[in-house]
Amino acid sequence: MKRIDAVYHVRGEAEYVDDLPQPAEMLYAAVFASTVARGKILALNLLPALALDGIVAAFAATDIPGTNQWGSIIPDWPLLATDEVHYVGQPVAVVVGKTKACAQKAAKKIAMQVEELPAIVEPKEAFVRGQIIGVPRTFVLGDVESAWSNCYLIVEGTCEIGSQEHLYLETQRARAIPLEGKTMRVYSATQNPYAAQRTIAQMLGWPHNAIEVDVKRLGGAFGGKEEQATLWASLAALAAWHLQKPVELVLSRLDDLKMTGKRHPYDSDFKIGVTKEGQILAYEVKHYQNAGAYADLSTAVLERTLFHSTNAYFIPNAKIFGASCRTNLPPSTALRGFGGPQAMFVMESAITKVAEKLGVSREEIQRKNLLFAGDVFPYGQQMQTNSVPRTWQKAEQIYHLSKIKQQVEQYNANHFETKKGYALMPICFGISFTKTFLNQASALVHVYTDGSVSVTTGGVEMGQGLSTKIAAIASLTFGIGIQRIKIETTNTTRIANMSPTAASVTTDLNGNATMLASGQILDRLKVVAAKELRVSEPERIAIADEKILYAGEETNLTWAGLLEKAFLYRTNLSAHAFYATPGISFDRVKEKGHPFAYHVCGTAIVEVTLDCLRGIYEIDSVKIVHELGRSVNELVDRGQVEGGLAQGLGWMTVEDLRFSGKGQLLSKNLATYKIPDVYFMPDEIALEFLTEENSFGPYGSKAVGEPPLMYGIGVFFAIRQAMRAFQPQRELAFKSPLTPEQVLCQLYPQEFQEMAENIAVSSTLLAST
Ligand code: MTE
Ligand code: LUZ
Ligand code: MOS
């Protein structure tokens, strides 16, 4: 079945925030931001902006009537900077004008005098200087210290893991509309309507119920609107409150790139010990997370890094350390995988180094250490299924791993300047928000007398197909056609206290709430049907294909007929239901518990061809065995796997996000920041779904949004293998992304060293002329 909104997208009718009809007298806001990474604000002059034609007002931190500090976990971030700035792109003032263009022009006129202070951009430096957000944490299983002495081989290494830009098509935006009394409606492109509601309420000193946040859909988010959308919604609301007029704030692409946080870069150190046969006995890892200037979700992201540090492997002795390090970069934030990908990259690097030292294939080490049912994670939870070995074995078998290996070896023996490489990438991703309390959701369902149905949940449609899945769930529960179901906007007046749409659990949580609410109405309808059919057991009534069945037999009562009767019998045709994931908990003192409802697992095989003279590579194929429950919509799930994979491949290869030593974004536009396009993607993506029973997802389905991103990690190790086929003696770094330039720098270090020296010499000469 297609997505329910596909036709609107194709026709360009799908509505986003700035497609809504424009209210009379709407004004437009633009943001003035810091141009230095760290500094003391000595003076701020808004007057030059106000002097421009069409400019109505400008606001700074002193114009905030209530709380300026915000942040879902640690409220350490000012909406507008007060006396200091801590990253390039940090909002300092908002300018409001009659057009977007004049507001943007005026924002550039604001004059700020700053005393620049030394900035920190590297996480390890921040750590040494005690710039730590929250507290560093350590997960322990077994005893690594005593395990080292039993190891046949111990290797150590370091990973440098790059950042990633979300690059949602729809940049950050919001429209705030003041309403009667002290109330306001805000249309926000956010994954987290309740965070916008509470932050705006606190900013204005109002109760939560004074703010209504409404979200129709997002043009992509990928985590970038889980926390950070709140800032822009709040700034629009601040201006709207002062001016008592609707105000829209839309970030231009370049402002969005500069002013918003990205995926956390990590510097991680590992030490791994194995037996002669390659069984991992001990693994120690230290993650230094580059959190940027404010807490944002960094401590939660770090926590997920700790949870996924051993990925799909069982390691009896593990010591996993992590610290969120405060630097002067834009606050790093959620991005698909949420710290999981970084953890898995380090694990794979450690395994790779072991395999290289032992002179065996990577997959030999991987295979020996796969996680089986009953194995314990360092966080105390037991693996419940054999999904990892099952998908691994299936992938080896149906994609003929031995043949792939043979073909690659043969190709490499017969080619000099091009080499092939392949890598297996198993994944095991925990499903549930790691903050247990967030695993709750509710749904509001109305059935109208014509049999049509309205569903509101706390989930946000951001391209992942949530609306289609929720509609399918309601239609399955009622036994009626999906065309009867309308998915309403996500709105804080209909659903209170909602969790963000994140952690891949939105269908699980909101779908279960939808089933419960629909089920309540269905039970009432069965009583009506029993009365109408003059039978005594309503529980023997069922609805299928809009026909009312009794004891499995079709009756002459239909869905539409039943609804007419139900109304006359004064039946409650509305229901609100609440769902909270059962059985999960985590003890942050012991760092043990059962944080995840279940895990999503799978195995990918990635094959590449590398041009070793030019550094360029092609991804020949990615072949995946991915475990799903009983899919609610297989087409949507397939789209999520392919989309996630594309993002993972891009993160590891071409998406080279860089900051200067002074915290300036260097890859500040799409000429210098590349993302994978359709030509970059492999010609062949093979995808086989395995079904695994799952009692937590609606109708036995499983979360799908984030895990497939991590298959993309395999491409790094496939390219590395090809590099080693060309230059077996080189020490290669575990540094991502592995861009073509990076491949060349590592294959030809002397040449690049000389080139760098020549450039330095010629630029000194140039400077002296
Ligand atoms: N797919 C599309 N098309 N657009 C998105 O923004 N976000 C991803 C994933 N898939 C995203 C997407 C992220 S980061 C998450 S957490 C999940 O969708 C969230 O939705 P879900 O919980 O419904 O899977
Ligand atoms: N967001 C969050 C997430 O707040 N908690 C999580 O555990 C999480 N996991 C993945 C993605 N987003
Ligand atoms: Mo996704 S990173 O949980 O928004």
Side-chain angles (χ1 to χ4, degrees):
M1 196 205 70
K2 321 191 272 272
R3 298 158 57 122
I4 57 171
D5 45 5
V7 65
Y8 310 127
H9 287 302
V10 172
R11 288 191 190 144
E13 290 170 3
E15 284 172 359
Y16 298 87
V17 170
D18 57 344
D19 293 321
L20 296 167
Q22 308 213 338
E25 299 184 274
M26 188 156 83
L27 299 170
Y28 299 83
V31 177
F32 169 75
S34 172
T35 54
V36 300
R38 193 170 153 232
K40 241 192 211 109
I41 301 177
L42 301 176
L44 180 66
N45 186 2
L46 306 180
L47 292 175
L50 291 169
L52 289 199
D53 256 6
I55 297 304
V56 179
F59 305 106
T62 45
D63 297 306
I64 291 174
T67 311
N68 187 15
Q69 293 299 115
W70 74 285
S72 291
I73 302 175
I74 303 168
D76 63 346
W77 194 350
L79 293 164
L80 291 171
T82 51
D83 41 358
E84 284 181 6
V85 283
H86 289 270
Y87 63 94
V88 175
Q90 177 167 5
V92 180
V94 189
V95 182
V96 188
K98 288 181 179 153
T99 65
K100 199 163 123 182
C102 80
Q104 283 173 346
K105 196 167 143 199
K108 296 200 175 78
K109 301 279 180 208
I110 287 181
M112 181 165 75
Q113 221 186 320
V114 190
E115 180 194 333
E116 205 172 333
L117 298 170
I120 301 176
V121 296
E122 298 296 338
K124 282 181 178 170
E125 188 191 341
F127 182 79
V128 169
R129 290 169 185 259
Q131 292 294 322
I132 297 165
I133 298 173
V135 287
R137 292 172 64 179
T138 306
F139 285 13
V140 176
L141 182 68
D143 178 7
V144 282
E145 300 312 330
S146 57
W148 298 125
S149 56
N150 299 327
C151 295
Y152 166 78
L153 171 74
I154 297 172
V155 300
E156 294 183 54
T158 289
C159 298
E160 267 179 71
I161 306 174
S163 183
Q164 184 174 31
E165 164 60 41
H166 303 84
L167 223 79
Y168 27 65
L169 281 177
E170 179 199 35
T171 55
Q172 303 274 356
R173 62 197 58 201
R175 180 187 291 183
I177 303 176
L179 299 173
E180 68 172 20
K182 284 186 163 190
T183 67
M184 194 180 296
R185 182 182 301 135
V186 181
Y187 298 97
S188 164
T190 181
Q191 291 171 251
N192 200 344
Y194 187 41
Q197 181 187 24
R198 7 176 238 269
T199 306
I200 295 169
Q202 281 161 19
M203 174 187 74
L204 297 177
W206 291 357
H208 292 187
N209 69 359
I211 308 294
E212 172 185 353
V213 177
D214 190 273
V215 186
K216 173 76 186 168
R217 62 163 66 75
L218 311 182
F222 308 109
K225 298 168 182 171
E226 178 174 345
E227 181 77 352
Q228 303 213 347
T230 301
L231 178 49
W232 317 107
S234 303
L235 297 182
L238 177 69
W241 174 74
H242 274 286
L243 300 168
Q244 284 301 302
K245 297 242 167 75
V247 173
E248 187 166 277
L249 172 59
V250 175
L251 290 192
S252 69
R253 176 63 66 191
L254 295 188
D255 277 352
D256 190 300
L257 291 172
K258 190 172 67 187
M259 295 181 187
T260 65
K262 297 134 203 336
R263 187 190 289 285
H264 293 78
Y266 276 62
D267 283 349
S268 303
D269 301 327
F270 63 81
K271 179 174 174 186
I272 185 168
V274 295
T275 63
K276 201 166 181 177
E277 293 72 37
Q279 196 198 332
I280 304 171
L281 292 184
Y283 179 55
E284 184 170 357
V285 60
K286 296 190 178 117
H287 296 292
Y288 300 91
Q289 178 200 57
N290 192 333
Y294 296 103
D296 191 274
L297 302 172
S298 294
T299 52
V301 171
L302 181 75
E303 179 166 73
R304 195 171 272 281
T305 301
L306 300 178
F307 283 126
H308 292 85
S309 281
T310 55
N311 186 18
Y313 308 104
F314 172 64
I315 300 177
N317 301 287
K319 189 167 174 191
I320 301 156
F321 168 88
S324 285
C325 308
R326 197 189 291 277
T327 64
N328 297 103
L329 299 186
S332 303
T333 195
L335 205 169
R336 209 170 191 170
F338 204 77
Q342 292 93 327
M344 294 184 192
F345 179 80
V346 182
M347 182 77 255
E348 292 302 319
S349 297
I351 285 179
T352 303
K353 198 150 183 186
V354 163
E356 290 171 1
K357 282 275 171 349
L358 286 179
V360 301
S361 68
R362 253 170 55 81
E363 65 270 19
E364 203 169 309
I365 309 294
Q366 291 174 305
R367 195 189 289 117
K368 276 214 175 75
N369 294 283
L370 296 177
L371 189 67
F372 280 75
D375 287 341
V376 177
F377 290 97
Y379 50 91
Q381 183 164 344
Q382 248 185 16
M383 182 63 183
Q384 277 141 337
T385 66
N386 282 320
S387 307
V388 174
R390 196 185 304 140
T391 58
W392 175 283
Q393 281 154 17
K394 184 94 181 178
E396 276 199 11
Q397 192 189 6
I398 64 173
Y399 301 131
H400 311 290
L401 178 65
S402 51
K403 215 190 260 168
I404 292 174
K405 188 172 177 200
Q406 201 186 347
Q407 280 166 354
V408 166
E409 280 166 3
Q410 211 163 48
Y411 181 96
N412 289 347
N414 294 325
H415 291 76
F416 170 69
E417 81 281 13
T418 62
K419 296 289 181 191
K420 282 189 185 288
Y422 70 94
L424 273 81
M425 184 65 210
I427 62 159
C428 177
F429 194 78
I431 301 302
S432 288
F433 283 100
T434 62
K435 296 244 178 298
T436 302
F437 78 90
L438 288 175
N439 295 287
Q440 52 173 310
S442 45
L444 177 65
V445 177
H446 302 305
V447 182
Y448 296 93
T449 57
D450 68 347
S452 64
V453 178
S454 151
V455 181
T456 306
T457 72
V460 171
E461 172 62 53
M462 51 198 210
Q464 87 279 42
L466 175 74
S467 305
T468 303
K469 286 186 169 180
I470 297 289
I473 287 163
S475 122
L476 282 167
T477 309
F478 283 121
I480 62 175
I482 195 164
Q483 79 288 349
R484 287 204 188 257
I485 319 286
K486 176 166 174 247
I487 303 299
E488 306 292 348
T489 62
T490 313
N491 186 298
T492 55
T493 66
R494 276 174 271 126
I495 301 292
N497 314 323
M498 61 182 82
S499 290
T501 288
S504 308
V505 289
T506 318
T507 300
D508 282 14
L509 299 177
N510 294 274
N512 275 317
T514 301
M515 272 178 82
L516 291 171
S518 306
Q520 287 177 25
I521 300 173
L522 185 64
D523 285 345
R524 295 178 207 137
L525 287 173
K526 285 179 183 176
V527 173
V528 174
K531 211 174 295 166
E532 266 306 289
L533 296 168
R534 296 173 206 288
V535 296
S536 57
E537 294 161 294
E539 55 290 350
R540 300 188 73 188
I541 304 270
I543 305 175
D545 293 332
E546 311 216 338
K547 300 195 181 75
I548 313 304
L549 315 180
Y550 180 69
E553 297 290 323
E554 204 174 309
T555 68
N556 58 8
L557 197 57
T558 64
W559 171 255
L562 175 61
L563 262 299
E564 275 173 35
K565 290 285 182 265
F567 183 59
L568 298 179
Y569 288 135
R570 299 190 292 177
T571 311
N572 179 359
L573 295 175
S574 298
H576 172 273
F578 177 80
Y579 175 82
T581 312
I584 50 173
S585 64
F586 194 71
D587 180 336
R588 278 187 179 66
V589 176
K590 298 197 183 108
E591 302 286 28
K592 298 278 178 194
H594 191 106
F596 299 119
Y598 60 94
H599 291 83
V600 167
C601 306
T603 301
I605 307 176
V606 183
E607 295 171 81
V608 301
T609 308
L610 174 67
D611 178 336
C612 304
L613 301 184
R614 295 166 189 84
I616 52 180
Y617 40 76
E618 266 183 48
I619 306 171
D620 300 319
S621 67
V622 178
K623 295 166 180 161
I624 300 170
V625 175
H626 182 82
E627 196 193 71
L628 282 179
R630 261 172 280 127
S631 180
V632 170
N633 187 313
E634 202 167 306
L635 208 56
V636 166
D637 287 350
R638 184 168 284 267
Q640 286 294 295
V641 174
E642 292 183 3
L645 172 68
Q647 243 169 341
L649 292 171
W651 176 53
M652 283 283 107
T653 56
V654 293
E655 298 191 38
D656 195 5
L657 205 153
R658 292 211 201 163
F659 289 92
S660 75
K662 297 186 87 183
Q664 300 282 346
L665 181 63
L666 298 173
S667 44
K668 59 187 173 193
N669 58 41
L670 294 179
T672 46
Y673 187 76
K674 298 194 181 67
I675 57 161
D677 61 10
V678 66
Y679 302 106
F680 182 82
M681 288 298 283
D683 289 335
E684 186 188 359
I685 300 176
L687 173 57
E688 180 84 12
F689 286 128
L690 288 191
T691 310
E692 157 79 33
E693 288 303 311
N694 178 34
S695 60
F696 290 93
Y699 293 100
S701 61
K702 271 195 165 187
V704 71
E706 296 172 282
L709 181 139
M710 284 152 269
Y711 294 133
I713 296 169
V715 74
F716 182 98
F717 298 95
I719 297 171
R720 182 182 170 97
Q721 192 191 56
M723 289 165 75
R724 281 175 56 85
F726 184 71
Q727 288 273 29
Q729 308 310 331
R730 284 264 181 275
E731 270 293 317
L732 302 176
F734 294 105
K735 180 170 189 245
S736 79
L738 194 42
T739 58
E741 294 83 349
Q742 193 49 237
V743 169
L744 286 181
C745 286
Q746 294 205 36
L747 286 182
Y748 307 96
Q750 284 98 337
E751 286 82 347
F752 275 85
Q753 183 67 34
E754 276 167 32
M755 208 192 310
E757 279 160 17
N758 287 339
I759 290 170
V761 169
S762 49
S763 46
T764 333
L765 284 177
L766 274 176
S768 64
T769 54

